[in-house]
Amino acid sequence: MNRTEVRDALFPNCPIRNILSRIGDKWSLLVLFTLETNSTQRFKELQRNIPDISQKMLTATLKMLEADGLVRREAFPEIPPRVEYSLADKGKSFLPHIDSLIAWAMDNMGDIMESRKQYLLK
């Protein structure tokens, strides 16, 4: 059991801690944002659009987001097999909050970086 699973098991009724532990990792918001901007995508497309993510991390992140009902995975019975990922309705309802967070980060990043610099100079 990893840290997130332990934390979720210890505090299952705390919505803030539970949800933030799932989406507050390095990749989840980027995957959701990428699916927002590019709609339905195959695995390799997602991997190309998030160049720093490893195949293993993308797989794990997609599984977690699918388990939480934020991402929808659709497998097509073709040869070769085709799998597409898109935002589920719950993921779409989360988009305005992601967009607000991105806007806030863009508006404040310069000030935050300057504050960090000043803090280190103390």
Side-chain angles (χ1 to χ4, degrees), residues 98-115:
I98 294 172
D99 293 340
S100 293
L101 180 60
I102 291 169
W104 184 89
M106 298 294 283
D107 290 346
N108 291 283
M109 185 63 173
D111 289 341
I112 290 171
M113 295 308 287
E114 183 60 31
S115 292

Side-chain angles (χ1 to χ4, degrees), residues 6-105:
V6 169
R7 190 171 35 238
D8 289 350
L10 292 174
F11 303 103
N13 297 320
C14 178
I16 294 169
R17 187 173 301 190
N18 189 288
I19 299 302
L20 285 179
S21 73
R22 295 299 289 248
I23 58 141
D25 63 11
K26 185 175 181 179
W27 302 110
S28 293
L29 289 178
L30 287 172
V31 169
L32 294 170
F33 176 74
T34 301
L35 287 171
E36 174 188 17
T37 57
N38 297 300
S39 189
T40 300
Q41 292 186 49
R42 295 176 77 170
F43 185 89
K44 286 294 183 186
E45 291 174 298
L46 274 168
Q47 197 171 23
R48 271 193 302 276
N49 288 318
I50 309 171
D52 295 346
I53 196 167
S54 69
Q55 181 175 339
K56 181 179 177 180
M57 248 355 272
L58 181 56
T59 298
T61 302
L62 286 168
K63 284 181 180 183
M64 183 188 68
L65 292 171
E66 183 184 6
D68 286 350
L70 298 170
V71 168
R72 186 170 55 91
R73 179 184 185 273
E74 187 173 2
F76 297 90
E78 301 172 349
I79 298 176
R82 177 171 53 110
V83 177
E84 294 180 345
Y85 296 91
S86 61
L87 289 173
D89 288 340
K90 198 179 304 173
K92 290 176 185 175
S93 74
F94 188 52
L95 292 178
H97 306 287
I98 294 172
D99 293 340
S100 293
L101 180 60
I102 291 169
W104 184 89

